[in-house]
């Protein structure tokens, strides 16, 4: 089964209207592979701006949301608000949300359920820390994180699973293509056993962790790597090279 290659750009807490406007212009005028689904994760304050300026062929994602439609939750945004800005995706469970802001697996599961019920697509992030990788418990950690997400998904067509080894995010260290493939393959086996073979074959598992124009082609050639979630490089013109990794 062919899975459509998916490249997400996570702009994190970066940019202003001037620099993001220039980036958007570069993307809009760039030659990008039409067979790739591209989604840009903008800071919440710029969701409207990004959606109104980006070409319609690009999707936009919020970088987080809360688990209910509205209420007394100062500083949070809901899937309903995200959709009201014409945005159809949200990134949930990013390691920075887990490890900097202390979000639990349980909360990420609840957010996933609500975002999907609200009609958003979810880029659900999982990944182990360096001590966990060195301790030989990578599978245990990523399977536990995946299970909490899976327990909250009814429709897998709206979910992209992003494997991001925490030790490779923003460190310049990239998991080798073989390391990435190995975990992706194990995740697909887990989905086959615990969800269904159809879901295992159709769900896109993308890789994140210091992906650059230099590393993307070899990573993209791996059988179970269906795309990327790109951090720092998504703010640079080389993002176009990463989108075109399969071309």
């Amino acid at each position: 089964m062919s899975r459509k290659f998916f490249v997400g750009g996570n702009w994190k807490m970066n940019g202003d209207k001037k620099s993001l406007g220039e980036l958007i212009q570069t993307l809009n005028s760039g030659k990008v592979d039409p067979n790739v689904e591209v989604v840009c994760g903008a800071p919440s304050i710029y969701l409207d701006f990004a959606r109104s300026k980006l070409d319609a062929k690009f999707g936009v994602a919020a970088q987080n949301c809360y688990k209910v439609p509205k209420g007394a939750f100062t500083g949070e945004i809901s899937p309903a608000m995200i959709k009201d800005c014409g945005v159809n995706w949200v990134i949930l469970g990013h390691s920075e949300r887990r490890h900097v802001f202390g979000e639990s697996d349980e909360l990420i599961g609840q957010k996933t359920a609500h975002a999907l019920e609200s009609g958003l697509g979810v880029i659900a992030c999982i990944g182990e820390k360096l001590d966990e990788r060195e301790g030989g418990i990578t599978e245990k950690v990523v399977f536990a994180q995946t299970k909490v997400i899976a327990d909250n998904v009814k429709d897998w067509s709206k979910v992209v699973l992003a494997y991001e080894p925490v030790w490779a995010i923003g460190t310049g260290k990239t998991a080798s293509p073989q390391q990435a493939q190995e975990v992706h393959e194990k995740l697909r086996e887990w989905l086959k056993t615990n969800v269904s073979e159809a879901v295992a074959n159709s769900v896109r598992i993308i890789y994140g962790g210091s992906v650059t124009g230099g590393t993307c082609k070899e990573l993209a050639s791996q059988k179970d790597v269906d795309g990327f979630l790109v951090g720092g490089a998504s703010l640079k013109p080389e993002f176009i090279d990463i989108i075109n990794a399969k071309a």
Side-chain angles (χ1 to χ4, degrees), residues 68-74 76 78 81:
V68 293
K70 60 181 195 259
F73 301 102
T74 301
E76 290 290 336
S78 70
M81 294 170 174

Side-chain angles (χ1 to χ4, degrees), residues 43-63:
S44 59
I45 199 165
Y46 296 133
L47 284 172
D48 236 341
F49 175 79
R51 184 60 287 168
S52 64
K53 301 283 186 196
L54 265 171
D55 198 298
K57 68 175 178 270
F58 298 111
V60 176
Q63 295 174 12

Side-chain angles (χ1 to χ4, degrees), residues 25-237:
Q25 219 167 353
T26 302
L27 289 173
N28 287 348
S29 59
K31 197 170 181 310
V32 296
D33 184 344
N35 301 312
V36 177
E37 185 169 3
V38 182
V39 174
C40 296
S44 59
I45 199 165
Y46 296 133
L47 284 172
D48 236 341
F49 175 79
R51 184 60 287 168
S52 64
K53 301 283 186 196
L54 265 171
D55 198 298
K57 68 175 178 270
F58 298 111
V60 176
Q63 295 174 12
N64 192 27
C65 68
Y66 199 49
K67 62 181 181 180
V68 293
K70 60 181 195 259
F73 301 102
T74 301
E76 290 290 336
I77 60 171
S78 70
M81 294 170 174
I82 293 166
K83 289 193 74 176
D84 194 39
C85 292
V87 171
N88 295 319
W89 287 92
V90 64
I91 301 168
L92 291 174
H94 191 280
S95 64
E96 288 153 6
R97 297 305 314 172
R98 293 175 188 271
H99 304 306
V100 181
F101 299 102
E103 291 189 8
S104 65
D105 285 352
E106 185 189 16
L107 176 61
I108 292 157
Q110 292 166 339
K111 288 181 177 193
T112 300
H114 180 59
L116 290 168
E117 281 158 14
S118 306
L120 286 179
V122 172
I123 301 167
C125 303
I126 55 175
E128 81 284 11
K129 295 189 292 202
L130 184 59
D131 58 340
E132 293 165 338
R133 156 96 31 188
E134 288 174 345
I137 57 168
T138 293
E139 282 171 49
K140 185 182 165 196
V141 172
V142 297
F143 291 170
Q145 292 171 344
T146 306
K147 182 182 187 310
V148 180
I149 290 160
D151 288 346
N152 286 283
V153 175
K154 292 186 183 81
D155 177 7
W156 280 91
S157 68
K158 304 282 293 228
V159 178
V160 172
L161 208 51
Y163 168 60
E164 297 201 304
V166 182
W167 48 271
I169 297 174
T171 59
K173 285 183 187 166
T174 312
S176 70
Q178 294 72 30
Q179 284 174 317
Q181 166 59 23
E182 189 186 350
V183 177
H184 284 225
E185 190 175 5
K186 297 257 173 64
L187 280 166
R188 219 175 282 288
E189 283 168 18
W190 186 93
L191 289 166
K192 188 174 169 179
T193 307
N194 296 278
V195 184
S196 74
E197 187 163 9
V199 164
N201 290 333
S202 64
V203 78
R204 290 171 293 182
I205 305 176
I206 63 176
Y207 171 78
S210 300
V211 177
T212 65
T215 58
C216 64
K217 274 203 176 339
E218 202 187 342
L219 282 161
S221 70
Q222 304 300 310
K223 182 169 80 76
D224 290 295
V225 175
D226 304 314
F228 305 116
L229 185 56
V230 185
S234 69
L235 293 157
K236 301 171 186 166

